[in-house]
């Protein structure tokens, strides 16, 4: 009897090995198709009833969200006016870089703070979500109490993305993809809100940890791009750091978003969730959003690899703003092509105007044309 109990406790304490890509696709597709066949009552009415029965969020939490969103806006405005802008001007950055530098500096500060806190929760507390992803659904109950430390992480992240919607429109330097960024912030905020309301906060913490590190490296790289040419001088150290940052950015993107994210997060949500909670709410809704996020990560990874390859092979002389280089490069190419066409047309016109007289114009001097 005692031996059997010990065996059971050891089995419960065992950590399930992380699957490979083949195991993920095989198990996840099998489980999801089986769940879909068994869901005979799936539809709008069931979704409405599930939402009302399982979504829990208080007016106090909503009030804290708006208060913190305003707080982030004021903190950013204060740091920008009192620290970031004066520092950029003191460094004599290019006016265009002076306008963009405060945004990257602010995001670097925030993401470093938020990712450090997520790292602390996952590796320096009793939470085992990273090493044992299926544990995110152990003892899950509808409306369960969210631990204070995870609730703080959610409040920080949710209010930041609420602030970011306003900041992208009214505070950030407007870019060619700013509209897309607004949509991204709205979707991210919706995911954070719904995962909190349905008490999927454990897996949400793991998702935030796996994504925030890339934002740190992105903003670090952009800052070095801005600082490598300032005051009319060139600084090799920032050029080296920007190139190193772009390479490390692509490596960690693959490791965190294309390796650990699918093999830890998606396996837990697609397979382990139904093992722990057979009737877990909004199973297909959240997994569809996470699978969409994976597809976006793959798409952007291909873009990043192409960018890094251009830098390393010399097709691009240096690293530019990662969100703008393609548009600027295209504009420069179009302008150069237009200039060449105008030059050729001018030469053709000059040739036609002078051909009857056997003359041509070279360097502003009319010369005889000899056969």
């Amino acid at each position: 009897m005692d031996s059997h109990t010990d065996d059971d406790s050891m089995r419960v304490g065992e950590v399930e090995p992380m699957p490979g890509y083949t195991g993920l696709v095989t198990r996840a597709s099998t489980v999801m198709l089986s769940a879909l066949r068994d869901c005979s009552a799936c539809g709008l009415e069931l979704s409405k009833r599930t939402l009302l029965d399982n979504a829990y969020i208080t007016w106090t939490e909503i009030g804290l969200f708006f208060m913190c969103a305003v707080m982030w806006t004021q903190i950013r405005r204060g740091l920008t006016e009192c620290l970031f802008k004066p520092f950029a001007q003191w460094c004599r950055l290019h006016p265009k870089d002076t306008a963009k530098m405060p945004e990257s500096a602010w995001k670097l500060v925030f993401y470093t703070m938020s990712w450090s806190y997520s790292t602390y929760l996952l590796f320096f507390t009793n939470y085992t979500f990273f090493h044992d992803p299926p544990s995110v659904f152990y003892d899950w109950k509808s409306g369960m109490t969210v631990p204070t430390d995870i609730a703080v992480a959610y409040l920080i992240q949710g209010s930041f993305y609420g602030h970011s919607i306003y900041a992208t429109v009214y505070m950030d330097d407007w870019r060619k993809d700013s509209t897309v960024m607004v949509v991204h912030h709205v979707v991210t905020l919706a995911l954070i809100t719904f995962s909190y309301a349905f008490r999927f906060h454990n897996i949400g913490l793991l998702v935030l940890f796996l994504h925030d590190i890339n934002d740190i490296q992105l903003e670090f790289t952009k800052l070095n791009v801005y600082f490598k040419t300032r005051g009319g001088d060139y600084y090799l150290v920032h050029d080296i750091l920007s190139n190193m940052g772009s390479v490390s950015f692509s490596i960690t993107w693959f490791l965190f978003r294309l390796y650990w994210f699918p093999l830890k997060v998606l396996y837990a949500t697609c397979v382990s969730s139904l093992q722990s909670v057979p009737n877990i709410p909004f199973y297909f809704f959240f997994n569809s959003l996470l699978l969409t996020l994976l597809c976006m990560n793959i798409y952007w990874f291909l873009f990043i690899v192409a960018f890094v390859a251009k830098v390393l092979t010399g097709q691009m002389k240096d690293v530019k703003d990662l969100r703008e280089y393609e548009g600027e490069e295209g504009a420069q190419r179009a302008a150069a092509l237009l200039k060449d066409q105008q030059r050729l047309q001018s030469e053709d016109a000059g040739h036609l105007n002078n051909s009857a007289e056997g003359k041509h114009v070279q360097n502003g001097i009319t010369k005889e044309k000899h056969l």
Side-chain angles (χ1 to χ4, degrees):
M1 182 70 176
D2 293 338
S3 176
H4 179 72
T5 303
D6 292 339
D7 291 342
D8 288 344
S9 62
M10 288 178 63
R11 192 177 300 111
V12 171
E14 290 178 353
V15 176
E16 182 178 351
M18 188 175 68
Y21 289 110
T22 303
L24 168 67
V25 173
T26 303
R27 291 289 305 279
S29 58
T30 301
V31 171
M32 294 187 77
L33 288 174
S34 177
L36 185 61
R37 285 194 298 266
D38 294 340
C39 189
S40 57
C42 289
L44 184 60
E45 289 300 321
L46 179 61
S47 298
K48 290 181 179 179
R49 189 164 63 252
T50 304
L51 180 65
L52 294 175
D53 292 343
N54 295 280
Y56 295 89
I57 193 165
T58 66
W59 286 108
T60 300
E61 291 167 335
I62 295 174
L64 285 173
F65 160 79
F66 283 105
M67 184 175 68
C68 289
V70 173
M71 178 192 70
W72 291 129
T73 304
Q74 295 304 320
I75 291 176
R76 173 178 174 174
R77 183 172 286 117
L79 288 175
T80 297
E81 296 300 326
C82 298
L83 179 61
F84 299 147
K85 276 188 177 180
F87 183 68
Q89 293 169 353
W90 180 76
C91 292
R92 296 186 297 164
L93 295 182
H94 187 279
K96 183 179 180 181
D97 295 336
T98 300
K100 294 187 294 184
M101 176 268 186
E103 176 189 344
S104 291
W106 159 247
K107 290 180 179 178
L108 178 63
V109 170
F110 175 83
Y111 284 120
T112 300
M113 176 195 69
S114 63
W115 187 74
S116 298
Y117 184 57
S118 299
T119 302
Y120 163 75
L121 292 179
L122 289 173
F123 296 96
F124 298 94
T125 63
N126 294 326
Y127 298 124
T128 60
F129 308 143
F130 182 83
H131 300 291
D132 186 18
S135 66
V136 298
F137 294 108
Y138 292 169
D139 302 322
W140 180 90
K141 292 182 179 62
S142 178
M144 62 188 292
T145 301
V146 180
T148 302
D149 48 8
I150 296 181
V152 169
Y154 259 77
L155 179 61
I156 291 172
Q157 294 278 359
S159 60
F160 174 77
Y161 280 102
H163 146 79
S164 296
I165 296 172
Y166 169 84
T168 302
V169 178
Y170 296 104
M171 300 178 71
D172 293 351
D173 189 60
W174 192 260
R175 294 178 170 87
K176 60 184 178 68
D177 67 342
S178 292
T179 302
V180 178
M181 292 303 296
V182 172
V183 176
H184 169 270
H185 296 332
V186 172
V187 172
T188 302
L189 179 59
L191 276 170
I192 291 174
T193 303
F194 278 105
S195 64
Y196 181 86
F198 280 90
R199 300 307 189 248
F200 298 149
H201 47 273
N202 294 341
I203 196 69
L205 177 64
L206 187 55
V207 173
L208 292 171
F209 165 77
L210 293 175
H211 284 73
D212 279 356
I213 187 173
N214 297 122
D215 293 300
I216 296 174
Q217 294 178 315
L218 174 63
E219 302 306 332
F220 173 80
T221 301
K222 289 165 64 175
L223 283 173
N224 279 283
V225 169
Y226 303 151
F227 278 94
K228 68 181 178 182
T229 303
R230 60 183 190 271
D233 296 324
Y234 165 77
Y235 292 84
L236 178 62
V237 62
H238 292 292
D239 196 4
I240 294 174
L241 288 174
S242 64
N243 283 281
M244 291 176 59
S246 65
V247 174
S248 64
F249 174 73
S250 63
I251 293 173
T252 55
W253 186 286
F254 174 82
L255 179 62
F256 281 74
R257 298 194 180 198
L258 300 185
Y259 182 68
W260 280 332
F261 175 68
L263 300 185
K264 288 181 178 288
V265 172
L266 288 179
Y267 187 81
T269 58
C270 292
V271 179
S272 304
S273 60
L274 288 180
Q275 293 175 343
S276 299
V277 189
N279 295 317
I280 193 166
F282 279 88
Y283 170 82
F284 295 105
F285 172 74
F286 281 105
N287 278 300
S288 297
L289 291 178
L290 291 173
L291 286 169
T292 301
L293 181 58
L294 175 63
C295 291
M296 293 173 62
N297 289 340
I298 293 173
Y299 169 79
W300 282 108
F301 179 71
L302 296 175
F303 178 84
I304 292 166
V305 169
F307 171 80
V308 174
K310 286 184 177 181
V311 174
L312 296 180
T313 58
Q315 297 180 47
M316 289 181 61
K317 294 182 178 179
D318 52 16
V319 177
K320 302 179 183 179
D321 190 324
L322 298 179
R323 287 176 57 190
E324 292 187 341
Y325 88 94
E326 187 179 46
E328 292 179 356
E329 185 178 50
Q332 291 171 357
R333 289 179 178 177
L337 180 60
L338 179 60
K339 185 176 181 180
D340 289 341
Q341 290 175 341
Q342 291 173 342
R343 178 178 58 79
L344 290 173
Q345 290 173 355
S346 177
E347 290 179 354
D348 289 342
H351 174 73
L352 291 173
N353 290 335
N354 294 283
S355 61
E357 302 177 3
K359 300 176 180 179
H360 71 284
V361 178
Q362 182 177 353
N363 296 328
I365 301 175
T366 303
K367 296 185 177 181
E368 295 289 338
K369 181 179 180 181
H370 301 281
L371 296 176

